[in-house]
């Protein structure tokens, strides 16, 4: 079963020039359920553009996105609903809410999705336990290390059990040792939940630990 299917995706920008610059030039990529794929790309290759299209934050010029085997169509409302249900995002910088505890940061997206507070807190605590933050749940982001904050962000991204996790340099701002621990935590969460993940990284060592590696090159996805 396919979690995410991108076919024939193209996207261009005008960049103030008379003719449009094609950033994506026919991207085809499929992720099976539970598959973790590394995407390596030089900066400027269109990695963020591709992740935004896969995550329904942006629309392609041509081509099709399917999530869970279903074509993503419809208006903005339908796309937003699907994005909230089926897609989790992780960025290089976590954007946690500073005035809330780690637990609350993982609880809030669940409340927004209609989960009861009791259920949401239980699930949040389970996720935090799994990434080694059992005793840190009541701390605010400012009281946590960079790696701990990023682990909270992973829990938040997975809080609503999305089908697909999209990560843009999830360990990019951490030192190598922390990066290793934090990456292991991410893999643990992803494996435990059985979701598919597309993880953009410059770190070839981390990339090699995923199920498969692809490269974004000249606007297309090619095997790495
Ligand atoms: P990457 O994430 O691989 O660095 P991006 O997808 O951010 O690449 O950008 C790819 C190219 O598209 C770059 O040349 C960038 O300047 C351009 N680009 C990205 N987003 C926009 C936008 N919203 N408007 C115009 N150009 C953009
Ligand atoms: P919410 O109201 O729960 O934040 P959204 O639909 O606004 O839900 O966003 C869903 C996810 O997409 C969130 O993880 C958010 O951080 C991310 N997101 C929203 N807008 C953008 C954007 N313009 N660029 C990058 N990420 C975005």
């Amino acid at each position: 079963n396919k979690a995410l299917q991108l076919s024939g995706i193209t996207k261009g920008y005008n960049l103030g020039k008379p003719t449009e610059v094609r950033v994506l030039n026919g991207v085809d990529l499929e992720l099976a359920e539970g598959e973790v794929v590394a995407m390596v790309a030089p900066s400027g290759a269109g990695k963020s553009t591709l992740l935004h299209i896969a995550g329904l934050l942006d629309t392609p010029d041509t081509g099709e996105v399917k999530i869970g085997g279903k074509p993503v169509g419809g208006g903005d409302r339908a796309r937003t609903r699907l994005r909230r249900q089926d897609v989790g995002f992780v960025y290089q910088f976590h954007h946690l809410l500073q005035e809330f505890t780690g637990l609350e940061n993982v609880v809030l997206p669940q409340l927004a999705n209609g989960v009861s507070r009791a259920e949401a807190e239980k699930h949040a605590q389970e996720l935090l336990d799994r990434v080694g933050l059992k005793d840190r749940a009541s701390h605010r982001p400012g009281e946590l290390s960079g790696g701990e904050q990023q682990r909270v962000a992973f829990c938040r991204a997975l809080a609503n059990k999305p089908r697909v996790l999209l990560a843009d340099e999830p360990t990019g701002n951490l030192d190598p040792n922390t990066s290793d621990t934090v990456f292991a935590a991410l893999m643990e969460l992803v494996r435990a939940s059985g979701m598919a993940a597309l993880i953009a990284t410059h770190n070839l060592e981390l990339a090699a630990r995923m199920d498969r590696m692809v490269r974004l090159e000249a606007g297309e996805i090619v095997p790495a």
Side-chain angles (χ1 to χ4, degrees):
N1 284 351
K2 298 297 175 191
L4 174 69
Q5 292 158 281
L6 303 174
S7 49
I9 303 288
T10 69
K11 183 76 176 177
Y13 297 112
N14 263 328
L15 302 172
K17 291 177 189 140
T19 55
E20 155 188 290
V21 176
R22 272 278 182 94
V23 176
L24 301 177
N25 201 20
V27 164
D28 296 309
L29 177 65
E30 291 195 346
L31 269 67
E33 278 173 10
E35 192 180 28
V36 180
V37 175
M39 173 167 65
V40 291
S43 155
K47 173 178 57 98
S48 306
T49 300
L50 181 56
L51 290 172
H52 282 173
I53 289 172
L56 315 183
L57 290 166
D58 201 356
T59 50
D61 294 337
T62 64
E64 188 176 50
V65 181
K66 288 186 189 172
I67 293 187
K70 276 179 276 168
V72 174
D76 284 352
R77 288 179 63 117
R79 295 169 58 82
T80 299
R81 190 158 42 85
L82 200 57
R83 181 172 74 231
R84 286 185 183 168
Q85 276 171 8
D86 285 350
V87 184
F89 290 94
V90 171
Y91 299 96
Q92 183 170 355
F93 299 100
H94 55 70
H95 310 297
L96 292 173
L97 299 170
Q98 296 296 324
E99 64 272 33
F100 291 100
T101 65
L103 186 82
E104 203 65 7
N105 268 279
V106 185
V107 163
L108 288 171
Q110 299 179 72
L111 298 183
N113 232 21
V115 176
S116 76
R117 171 160 283 278
E119 274 298 309
E121 285 185 359
K122 179 163 169 281
H123 183 49
Q125 190 63 59
E126 282 165 5
L127 290 169
L128 292 167
D129 289 357
R130 196 173 274 283
V131 296
L133 296 177
K134 196 178 184 54
D135 304 321
R136 292 278 186 276
S138 62
H139 293 242
R140 293 182 189 187
E143 300 162 334
L144 299 172
S145 72
E148 289 169 341
Q149 293 177 35
Q150 196 64 340
R151 280 182 271 163
V152 175
F154 296 163
C155 294
R156 179 187 54 182
L158 301 192
N160 285 327
K161 303 174 184 153
R163 280 175 195 273
V164 180
L165 177 77
L166 301 170
D168 198 349
E169 296 285 346
T171 60
N173 73 327
L174 303 172
D175 66 63
N177 280 336
T178 311
S179 170
D180 241 50
T181 322
V182 166
F183 178 76
L186 179 61
M187 292 301 279
E188 164 76 17
L189 283 175
V190 168
R191 297 295 189 202
S193 64
M195 75 185 51
L198 180 60
I199 303 178
T201 180
H202 285 121
N203 187 328
L204 292 179
E205 226 173 280
L206 296 187
R209 282 153 59 182
M210 301 183 209
D211 297 329
R212 182 156 64 96
M213 204 191 303
V214 297
R215 197 175 291 279
L216 178 59
E217 209 172 75
E220 292 181 45
I221 289 284
V222 296

PDB file of all heavy atoms in Angstrom, residues 195-209:
ATOM      1  N   MET A 195       4.309   4.874  10.063  1.00  0.00           N
ATOM      2  CA  MET A 195       4.028   5.851   9.016  1.00  0.00           C
ATOM      3  C   MET A 195       5.180   5.907   8.014  1.00  0.00           C
ATOM      4  O   MET A 195       6.276   5.423   8.281  1.00  0.00           O
ATOM      5  CB  MET A 195       3.829   7.229   9.621  1.00  0.00           C
ATOM      6  CG  MET A 195       5.111   7.875  10.059  1.00  0.00           C
ATOM      7  SD  MET A 195       4.799   9.416  10.873  1.00  0.00           S
ATOM      8  CE  MET A 195       3.587   8.896  12.065  1.00  0.00           C
ATOM      9  N   ALA A 196       4.899   6.498   6.873  1.00  0.00           N
ATOM     10  CA  ALA A 196       5.945   6.724   5.886  1.00  0.00           C
ATOM     11  C   ALA A 196       6.605   8.064   6.181  1.00  0.00           C
ATOM     12  O   ALA A 196       5.964   8.965   6.710  1.00  0.00           O
ATOM     13  CB  ALA A 196       5.355   6.734   4.487  1.00  0.00           C
ATOM     14  N   ALA A 197       7.891   8.170   5.842  1.00  0.00           N
ATOM     15  CA  ALA A 197       8.577   9.434   6.081  1.00  0.00           C
ATOM     16  C   ALA A 197       9.489   9.780   4.915  1.00  0.00           C
ATOM     17  O   ALA A 197      10.161   8.911   4.355  1.00  0.00           O
ATOM     18  CB  ALA A 197       9.385   9.360   7.377  1.00  0.00           C
ATOM     19  N   LEU A 198       9.472  11.049   4.550  1.00  0.00           N
ATOM     20  CA  LEU A 198      10.402  11.583   3.555  1.00  0.00           C
ATOM     21  C   LEU A 198      11.248  12.623   4.278  1.00  0.00           C
ATOM     22  O   LEU A 198      10.730  13.632   4.765  1.00  0.00           O
ATOM     23  CB  LEU A 198       9.630  12.220   2.395  1.00  0.00           C
ATOM     24  CG  LEU A 198      10.467  12.834   1.266  1.00  0.00           C
ATOM     25  CD1 LEU A 198      11.366  11.777   0.609  1.00  0.00           C
ATOM     26  CD2 LEU A 198       9.565  13.467   0.205  1.00  0.00           C
ATOM     27  N   ILE A 199      12.539  12.331   4.391  1.00  0.00           N
ATOM     28  CA  ILE A 199      13.410  13.143   5.238  1.00  0.00           C
ATOM     29  C   ILE A 199      14.542  13.739   4.411  1.00  0.00           C
ATOM     30  O   ILE A 199      15.401  13.017   3.909  1.00  0.00           O
ATOM     31  CB  ILE A 199      13.989  12.276   6.386  1.00  0.00           C
ATOM     32  CG1 ILE A 199      12.833  11.645   7.188  1.00  0.00           C
ATOM     33  CG2 ILE A 199      14.915  13.099   7.280  1.00  0.00           C
ATOM     34  CD1 ILE A 199      13.270  10.733   8.313  1.00  0.00           C
ATOM     35  N   ALA A 200      14.493  15.055   4.251  1.00  0.00           N
ATOM     36  CA  ALA A 200      15.557  15.736   3.518  1.00  0.00           C
ATOM     37  C   ALA A 200      16.721  15.961   4.467  1.00  0.00           C
ATOM     38  O   ALA A 200      16.536  16.438   5.580  1.00  0.00           O
ATOM     39  CB  ALA A 200      15.051  17.069   2.987  1.00  0.00           C
ATOM     40  N   THR A 201      17.900  15.583   4.028  1.00  0.00           N
ATOM     41  CA  THR A 201      19.078  15.775   4.876  1.00  0.00           C
ATOM     42  C   THR A 201      20.332  15.911   4.029  1.00  0.00           C
ATOM     43  O   THR A 201      20.418  15.401   2.916  1.00  0.00           O
ATOM     44  CB  THR A 201      19.246  14.586   5.857  1.00  0.00           C
ATOM     45  OG1 THR A 201      20.403  14.815   6.649  1.00  0.00           O
ATOM     46  CG2 THR A 201      19.405  13.255   5.131  1.00  0.00           C
ATOM     47  N   HIS A 202      21.291  16.653   4.581  1.00  0.00           N
ATOM     48  CA  HIS A 202      22.617  16.709   3.952  1.00  0.00           C
ATOM     49  C   HIS A 202      23.539  15.665   4.558  1.00  0.00           C
ATOM     50  O   HIS A 202      24.659  15.478   4.103  1.00  0.00           O
ATOM     51  CB  HIS A 202      23.254  18.102   4.181  1.00  0.00           C
ATOM     52  CG  HIS A 202      22.645  19.160   3.332  1.00  0.00           C
ATOM     53  ND1 HIS A 202      22.043  20.282   3.872  1.00  0.00           N
ATOM     54  CD2 HIS A 202      22.513  19.264   1.992  1.00  0.00           C
ATOM     55  CE1 HIS A 202      21.585  21.030   2.885  1.00  0.00           C
ATOM     56  NE2 HIS A 202      21.855  20.431   1.739  1.00  0.00           N
ATOM     57  N   ASN A 203      23.063  15.022   5.605  1.00  0.00           N
ATOM     58  CA  ASN A 203      23.900  14.100   6.360  1.00  0.00           C
ATOM     59  C   ASN A 203      23.835  12.699   5.747  1.00  0.00           C
ATOM     60  O   ASN A 203      22.882  11.956   5.965  1.00  0.00           O
ATOM     61  CB  ASN A 203      23.428  14.100   7.820  1.00  0.00           C
ATOM     62  CG  ASN A 203      24.345  13.296   8.720  1.00  0.00           C
ATOM     63  OD1 ASN A 203      24.944  12.311   8.285  1.00  0.00           O
ATOM     64  ND2 ASN A 203      24.453  13.730   9.964  1.00  0.00           N
ATOM     65  N   LEU A 204      24.854  12.335   4.993  1.00  0.00           N
ATOM     66  CA  LEU A 204      24.827  11.068   4.258  1.00  0.00           C
ATOM     67  C   LEU A 204      24.878   9.867   5.184  1.00  0.00           C
ATOM     68  O   LEU A 204      24.369   8.799   4.866  1.00  0.00           O
ATOM     69  CB  LEU A 204      25.981  11.015   3.252  1.00  0.00           C
ATOM     70  CG  LEU A 204      25.866  12.002   2.088  1.00  0.00           C
ATOM     71  CD1 LEU A 204      27.082  11.894   1.162  1.00  0.00           C
ATOM     72  CD2 LEU A 204      24.579  11.779   1.299  1.00  0.00           C
ATOM     73  N   GLU A 205      25.482  10.064   6.352  1.00  0.00           N
ATOM     74  CA  GLU A 205      25.538   8.971   7.330  1.00  0.00           C
ATOM     75  C   GLU A 205      24.128   8.628   7.826  1.00  0.00           C
ATOM     76  O   GLU A 205      23.756   7.466   7.915  1.00  0.00           O
ATOM     77  CB  GLU A 205      26.394   9.411   8.517  1.00  0.00           C
ATOM     78  CG  GLU A 205      27.401   8.397   8.981  1.00  0.00           C
ATOM     79  CD  GLU A 205      28.287   9.044  10.032  1.00  0.00           C
ATOM     80  OE1 GLU A 205      29.222   9.782   9.641  1.00  0.00           O
ATOM     81  OE2 GLU A 205      28.004   8.850  11.222  1.00  0.00           O
ATOM     82  N   LEU A 206      23.360   9.681   8.137  1.00  0.00           N
ATOM     83  CA  LEU A 206      21.967   9.470   8.560  1.00  0.00           C
ATOM     84  C   LEU A 206      21.153   8.906   7.401  1.00  0.00           C
ATOM     85  O   LEU A 206      20.356   7.983   7.564  1.00  0.00           O
ATOM     86  CB  LEU A 206      21.334  10.771   9.055  1.00  0.00           C
ATOM     87  CG  LEU A 206      21.930  11.410  10.304  1.00  0.00           C
ATOM     88  CD1 LEU A 206      21.075  12.597  10.744  1.00  0.00           C
ATOM     89  CD2 LEU A 206      22.048  10.394  11.430  1.00  0.00           C
ATOM     90  N   ALA A 207      21.390   9.457   6.213  1.00  0.00           N
ATOM     91  CA  ALA A 207      20.636   9.009   5.032  1.00  0.00           C
ATOM     92  C   ALA A 207      20.819   7.512   4.806  1.00  0.00           C
ATOM     93  O   ALA A 207      19.883   6.802   4.453  1.00  0.00           O
ATOM     94  CB  ALA A 207      21.066   9.805   3.808  1.00  0.00           C
ATOM     95  N   ALA A 208      22.044   7.048   5.061  1.00  0.00           N
ATOM     96  CA  ALA A 208      22.351   5.640   4.824  1.00  0.00           C
ATOM     97  C   ALA A 208      21.605   4.714   5.782  1.00  0.00           C
ATOM     98  O   ALA A 208      21.489   3.525   5.531  1.00  0.00           O
ATOM     99  CB  ALA A 208      23.857   5.413   4.942  1.00  0.00           C
ATOM    100  N   ARG A 209      21.104   5.276   6.880  1.00  0.00           N
ATOM    101  CA  ARG A 209      20.378   4.450   7.852  1.00  0.00           C
ATOM    102  C   ARG A 209      18.886   4.359   7.542  1.00  0.00           C
ATOM    103  O   ARG A 209      18.149   3.683   8.233  1.00  0.00           O
ATOM    104  CB  ARG A 209      20.596   5.004   9.266  1.00  0.00           C
ATOM    105  CG  ARG A 209      21.981   4.594   9.807  1.00  0.00           C
ATOM    106  CD  ARG A 209      22.543   5.555  10.817  1.00  0.00           C
ATOM    107  NE  ARG A 209      21.705   5.740  11.995  1.00  0.00           N
ATOM    108  CZ  ARG A 209      22.002   6.576  12.991  1.00  0.00           C
ATOM    109  NH1 ARG A 209      23.114   7.285  12.925  1.00  0.00           N
ATOM    110  NH2 ARG A 209      21.210   6.705  14.012  1.00  0.00           N
TER     111      ARG A 209
END
